[in-house]
Amino acid sequence: MGSEFVMFSLTPMLIGVLASVACALPGNFLILRRQALIGDAISHVVLPGIVVAFLLTGVVAAIPMLLGAAGAAVVAVVLIEAIKRLGRIEPGAAMGVTFTTLFAGGVLLLEQSDTSSVHLDVEHALMGNLESLVWLRATDWSSLFDPWALAGVPEELPRIAVVCAGVILLTLVFWRWLKISTFDEGFAQALGLPVGMIGMGLVITAAVAAVAAFDAVGSIIVIAMFICPPAAARMMTNGLERQVWWSVLFAVVAAVLGYVLAGYGPLWLGGDNAVSAAGMIATVSGVILALACAFGPHRARVGARAEA
Amino acid sequence: MTPLIEALLLQAGYNAALVAVGAALLGFAAGAAGTFLFLRKRALVSDAVAHATLPGVGLAFIAMVWLGGDGRNLLGLLAGSAVTAGIGLLAVEWMTRRTRLSEDAAIGAVLSVFFGLGIVILTVIQTMSSGRQAGLESFLLGSTAGMLFQDAIVIAVGGSLAVLATWVMRRPMTLVAFDAEYAAASGVNVPGIDRLMMALVMAVTVIGLKIVGLILIVAMLIIPPVTARFWTERSQSLIWYAGGIGAVSGYLGAALSASAPDLPTGPIIVLVAAGLFLLSLFLAPARGVAAAVFRHRRFQRKVHRRQGLLALARQEPIHDELTLRVLRGEGLIRADGVATETGRAQAAKIARDERRWDVAREIHQDTGLTGRYDGLTPIEDVFAPDEIAEFDSRIGGPRAIGEGL
């Protein structure tokens, strides 16, 4: 656990953890509001967003791509709402129509434009490149206090840290509003809370978290982290506060364990190449969810007879 | 334009023709099978199924290489994908039934976890036997470039079987999709039919992997039924409309993609389907946006005409712009706002109608009839002439404007 760990594993692991937490927090509310698949839709439309940003600016730079992706997410949410209302179509189908169409548009744009010279492809968008976010200037743990080395951390790390902090802050500040409007929208309305704004704000926060995480770890982790840790946490408790803590714990465990298993698991089994860390993190979160579904103390619906 | 026409007429080469026919069949099967999913309001279950195919493709490849065969045998890969898709489906069902999670959370969990696992397996394959795995990534977005004749046969036969199964089972599936409780009460095995629907969806997904890819096959299952819904209110025709729209999208999309380079088949097919959807959303006769706007305008004019005439009858001034425009347009008032001869006649008629309704609501006991008063329906549409005559006997005969009501 010396210099090699700091250089090659510390930063990707941290990025994985921060991305997971940033997605799991809004995920808690999305699940309770039965909007879990908004995360799925957002992570699909991120692709056209970054492609359009690339075509407009001509460079693979972080800020325009983040803006493009966030813009695409907002466009998708508006389109889903429009199709739902104008066509009187049920939400699931409206979502399916929207995100597949936008994704297809993104793929087409990508194929049509000359992106062969830059690192921009569909597989990268899906799987991320967590393993490549190494900290080359680090020598050992003391590098954490070395300004020169710190200046060389991959730029994804501070970005996702800021977004993660922002999500935590928003969750704390709007805690009561979120809680009330999630559990009893009618009551929230009667109290005069801006219910529509809260819902939209939640979706936008989720989109920002998804976009920032997507940049580092790809869209699979984003969907998995929106849903699996909060869903598993839901099996563990009946209190919202405790559910959120559980979900954060699960997200961290999935990120660390997934990264370690992906990096070192094959070596233990006698292989000599690591497997996809993003995929492994998603898989571990799924295993956690499966265990929670099988053994969690509050897994059944309230009032449902305990089935054998 | 010529290459497109060639492709449309299946003249753009043997391979392109195969792909076009295969895509049309696939589109038909997907549209028809997706109809029930859509009616059952479970459209996004197909997303979980589609993503859950990925680990199966990888595992089947590994298994076939292990057994010494060619890892790229399409039939083997599809069989593997069907196995994990089935497991994913059962996982969604188990989570929804046994735990407090709602179906959308279960769908999201299954699709992301299975997809993640699939990616892990793909990276294992990359390190396992580099070079020979070429092409597994093509299942993500579909790839028709190197399609073999036997692949096309697999797709054609599979698609036809799926269409046939849909047709045979259309009645019980329609019943379950519309009213599961009634279906259960009349002895239909609802869970069994649900599973059959899912099996059909799974079959379509697996068949479509090669052409459209697992991320976009969902679109083939969702967009055609949603589009078809704009054109018909009958479930039996909905299946055929959806199938037809799917087939047209598949055929047109495949032909378009064959007509020029850099036009990937899967996304083009989806975009063609989305184009048809947009057209329907705006232009469909009864449910389209244009029709709704038109209906709204007509209703608005009716209300303004009636209220304007009532105001004339009561000799009140009219200030509303739209009301003035409507009345002027029909020649009921002059440019300066004074009622014309016809205007006065119409106003008297409307005023009498209103008065009759007042009396009707006072003396008539049947609220089912008097409840139909909405300020627009002429009383002759609701009551019989003898009843109206009775109302009139209480009001007195028609009077000219200015004599009071």
Side-chain angles (χ1 to χ4, degrees):
Chain A
M1 295 294 264
S3 56
E4 203 176 295
F5 173 80
V6 177
M7 199 164 160
F8 292 116
S9 296
L10 182 65
T11 41
M13 210 183 256
L14 267 179
I15 291 172
V17 167
L18 290 170
S20 301
V21 172
C23 290
L25 279 176
N28 275 298
F29 297 99
L30 290 178
I31 287 222
L32 289 171
R33 289 161 167 256
R34 311 209 156 193
Q35 291 182 326
L37 289 172
I38 285 273
D40 182 25
I42 291 173
S43 57
H44 278 90
V45 303
V46 160
L47 179 75
I50 57 173
V51 176
V52 168
F54 168 75
L55 292 179
L56 288 180
T57 61
V59 287
V60 183
I63 299 301
M65 294 215 165
L66 285 180
L67 286 179
V74 172
V75 167
V77 171
V78 170
L79 275 183
I80 291 172
E81 204 54 36
I83 290 177
K84 219 161 73 181
R85 297 220 178 131
L86 290 180
R88 278 163 295 160
I89 292 165
E90 53 123 355
M95 211 183 271
V97 172
T98 310
F99 78 73
T100 51
T101 305
L102 289 176
F103 189 82
V107 175
L108 180 63
L109 277 178
L110 200 54
E111 295 278 329
Q112 288 277 299
S113 57
D114 180 28
T115 49
S116 51
S117 56
V118 295
H119 190 58
L120 189 65
D121 58 63
V122 177
E123 278 145 48
H124 170 224
L126 292 170
M127 305 177 200
N129 56 342
L130 195 52
E131 296 88 345
S132 67
L133 303 175
V134 293
W135 187 13
L136 288 174
R137 288 194 191 177
T139 47
D140 54 28
W141 286 101
S142 63
S143 303
L144 284 178
F145 305 101
D146 179 357
W148 178 79
L150 280 180
V153 297
E155 54 172 350
E156 282 84 358
L157 181 59
R159 203 181 303 143
I160 188 73
V162 167
V163 169
C164 185
V167 169
I168 293 174
L169 194 71
L170 282 174
T171 313
L172 287 176
V173 170
F174 291 105
W175 177 262
R176 290 183 66 84
W177 283 19
L178 276 172
K179 188 175 177 180
I180 295 173
S181 68
T182 298
F183 283 103
D184 193 340
E185 202 174 303
F187 179 59
Q189 247 161 4
L191 287 181
L193 300 186
V195 176
M197 291 291 291
I198 297 174
M200 197 64 194
L202 179 63
V203 170
I204 290 176
T205 310
V208 171
V211 169
F214 163 85
D215 178 38
V217 297
S219 54
I220 321 164
I221 287 202
V222 172
I223 314 174
M225 285 304 146
F226 267 130
I227 298 175
C228 292
R234 184 110 174 77
M235 308 284 128
M236 304 304 292
T237 170
N238 276 331
L240 182 61
E241 289 82 358
R242 269 166 292 155
Q243 182 190 318
V244 170
W245 282 114
W246 274 110
S247 73
V248 171
L249 176 74
F250 285 147
V252 172
V253 169
V256 173
L257 201 62
Y259 186 80
V260 170
L261 281 180
Y264 302 102
L267 305 183
W268 298 336
L269 291 176
D272 42 25
N273 281 294
V275 298
S276 159
M280 195 49 115
I281 292 176
T283 309
V284 171
S285 77
V287 172
I288 292 176
L289 175 61
L291 289 176
C293 281
F295 304 111
H298 295 281
R299 60 184 183 276
R301 286 191 184 85
V302 174
R305 213 169 295 140
E307 284 175 88
Chain B
M1 213 52 206
T2 343
L4 174 59
I5 291 168
E6 266 179 18
L8 280 176
L9 298 174
L10 300 178
Q11 301 298 313
Y14 185 58
N15 220 342
L18 274 184
V19 172
V21 172
L25 271 170
L26 172 74
F28 194 93
T35 302
F36 298 105
L37 214 55
F38 169 62
L39 289 177
R40 194 104 168 83
K41 296 195 168 53
R42 298 178 73 188
L44 286 175
V45 176
S46 57
D47 207 15
V49 174
H51 284 77
T53 54
L54 188 59
V57 172
L59 288 175
F61 180 84
I62 293 178
M64 283 191 290
V65 170
W66 232 358
L67 295 173
D70 177 14
R72 282 170 301 175
N73 182 307
L74 184 64
L75 215 53
L77 293 177
L78 295 189
S81 71
V83 171
T84 46
I87 296 174
L89 205 51
L90 289 179
V92 171
E93 204 174 285
W94 179 75
M95 268 198 268
T96 319
R97 216 175 24 162
R98 284 300 181 85
T99 74
R100 57 181 13 178
L101 290 179
S102 55
E103 190 168 44
D104 63 333
I107 290 171
V110 165
L111 84 86
S112 58
V113 172
F114 275 69
F115 197 67
L117 185 64
I119 297 290
V120 169
I121 293 171
L122 284 192
T123 50
V124 169
I125 291 174
Q126 269 165 9
T127 65
M128 195 176 79
S129 50
S130 47
R132 290 188 59 197
Q133 93 288 357
L136 281 200
E137 277 82 4
S138 73
F139 281 98
L140 289 177
L141 290 172
S143 156
T144 49
M147 206 155 87
L148 303 173
F149 179 67
Q150 77 190 83
D151 297 353
I153 294 292
V154 169
I155 292 167
V157 171
S160 316
L161 283 179
V163 172
L164 190 70
T166 312
W167 186 75
V168 170
M169 298 304 293
R170 69 194 186 284
R171 287 189 186 281
M173 289 200 295
T174 313
L175 190 58
V176 170
F178 267 100
D179 193 341
E181 277 167 31
Y182 172 72
S186 47
V188 175
N189 177 4
V190 175
I193 296 290
D194 261 339
R195 257 183 226 129
L196 184 79
M197 266 183 215
M198 289 304 153
L200 270 178
V201 166
M202 208 172 82
V204 169
T205 311
V206 167
I207 297 162
L209 283 185
K210 184 76 187 167
I211 295 187
V212 213
L214 62 90
I215 300 178
L216 289 174
I217 185 69
V218 185
M220 297 301 292
L221 285 160
I222 297 180
I223 299 181
V226 172
T227 308
R229 186 68 188 82
F230 283 108
W231 297 94
T232 174
E233 304 280 349
R234 302 184 53 81
S235 65
Q236 293 305 325
S237 33
L238 188 63
I239 305 171
W240 305 120
Y241 276 61
I245 290 168
V248 169
S249 321
Y251 191 80
L252 216 59
L256 265 173
S257 112
S259 68
D262 290 336
L263 293 175
T265 317
I268 295 289
I269 292 177
V270 174
L271 288 174
V272 170
L276 292 177
F277 164 76
L278 269 186
L279 278 182
S280 311
L281 174 66
F282 286 104
L283 300 180
R287 293 170 62 97
V289 171
V293 169
F294 180 70
R295 263 200 312 276
H296 178 76
R297 299 279 306 194
R298 212 172 46 187
F299 180 72
Q300 208 179 16
R301 291 180 71 89
K302 256 171 97 177
V303 171
H304 278 269
R305 178 179 189 276
R306 173 106 178 180
Q307 293 303 319
L309 286 174
L310 278 176
L312 284 185
R314 296 183 186 125
Q315 294 187 310
E316 290 161 357
I318 301 170
H319 300 293
D320 189 84
E321 270 308 312
L322 181 58
T323 313
L324 289 172
R325 240 190 359 257
V326 171
L327 294 182
R328 250 182 239 132
E330 290 190 35
L332 299 173
I333 53 172
R334 296 200 310 248
D336 58 1
V338 177
T340 60
E341 194 63 36
T342 15
R344 278 200 297 277
Q346 286 292 323
K349 182 165 175 283
I350 296 287
R352 190 169 55 130
D353 190 61
E354 195 76 7
R355 186 81 188 107
R356 279 170 169 175
W357 269 112
D358 284 346
V359 174
R361 280 182 298 163
E362 253 170 53
I363 63 166
H364 208 279
Q365 298 303 315
D366 187 350
T367 47
L369 290 179
T370 56
R372 286 182 58 189
Y373 171 75
D374 55 6
L376 287 179
T377 316
I379 199 161
E380 289 88 351
D381 291 359
V382 179
F383 289 99
D386 57 326
E387 287 174 305
I388 294 176
E390 194 200 330
F391 304 148
D392 282 347
S393 69
R394 294 178 181 241
I395 312 172
R399 276 165 283 187
I401 289 178
E403 293 172 31
L405 293 173

